Amino acid sequence: GKRIITYGTFDLFHIGHVRLLKRLAALGDHLTVCVSSDEFNAIKGKKTVIPYAQRAEIVGACRYVDNVLPEHDWDQKRDDIVREKIDIFAMGDDWSGKFNDLGDLCEVFYLPRTEDVSSTSLKAFMEAL
Ligand code: C2G
């Protein structure tokens, strides 16, 4: 069966994340999610509300997810794909085209994002409360 992998911060886990993971799980029969570490988010210039250990535990609790790994840097994807015997790499389409170089190792898909929700907008909403 097809093995799927995806990467992300998954801060303030929300409906956009759920709907992405649900669609990814439907592409095969095993989904691995690599969750960005706090240190890697600093490299990405991304401030998070929820620390890595909790973000990883929340993603792992999602019914669509079979395995959770840490994402430490931009360059681990090729090694992950080979080691985890991945058939499909997929991300939301805000990343469209960015990871096509992985096409020699596996299929590469970009799925439409869920509109009107993001960790950033949730943070802004809560700060305005
Ligand atoms: N996403 C989505 N719809 C939203 C918000 C996010 O489909 N409304 C998707 C994104 O496209 C991404 C995944 O959910 O595929 C995780 O989003 P982020 O946590 O923002 O991940 P990001 O910071 O883009 O990290 O090496 C890749 C990076 O780690 C990706």
Side-chain angles (χ1 to χ4, degrees):
K2 293 229 178 227
R3 293 171 58 84
I4 323 290
I5 200 165
T6 195
Y7 293 74
T9 300
F10 296 97
D11 195 25
L12 298 173
F13 199 67
H14 55 65
I15 192 64
H17 299 137
V18 170
R19 288 190 178 151
L20 177 82
L21 297 177
K22 180 173 186 173
R23 284 176 287 156
L24 293 180
L27 294 174
D29 60 14
H30 188 282
L31 174 59
T32 295
V33 182
C34 300
V35 177
S36 311
S37 67
D38 295 332
E39 296 75 14
F40 181 50
N41 276 318
I43 292 169
K44 287 199 276 188
K46 200 157 193 178
K47 281 175 64 64
T48 53
V49 175
I50 309 297
Y52 168 76
Q54 292 182 31
R55 289 186 284 110
E57 185 175 342
I58 291 166
V59 169
C62 176
R63 67 182 308 152
Y64 304 117
V65 178
D66 297 288
N67 188 28
V68 177
L69 298 174
E71 180 186 27
H72 296 295
D73 60 59
W74 290 113
D75 307 320
Q76 69 182 73
K77 295 182 175 72
R78 298 189 73 85
D79 292 345
D80 292 345
I81 288 167
V82 171
R83 184 187 64 252
E84 299 298 320
K85 300 179 174 44
I86 297 301
D87 301 293
I88 297 175
F89 168 95
M91 299 285 293
D93 63 5
D94 46 317
W95 291 94
S96 189
K98 296 287 190 304
F99 300 112
N100 290 357
D101 61 294
L102 300 173
D104 61 312
L105 293 177
C106 61
E107 293 177 79
V108 176
F109 291 139
Y110 304 97
L111 281 70
R113 279 172 67 94
T114 300
E115 297 299 316
D116 304 326
V117 65
S118 68
S119 307
T120 307
S121 64
L122 287 170
K123 271 163 62 177
F125 178 78
M126 287 190 285
E127 276 155 13
L129 287 178

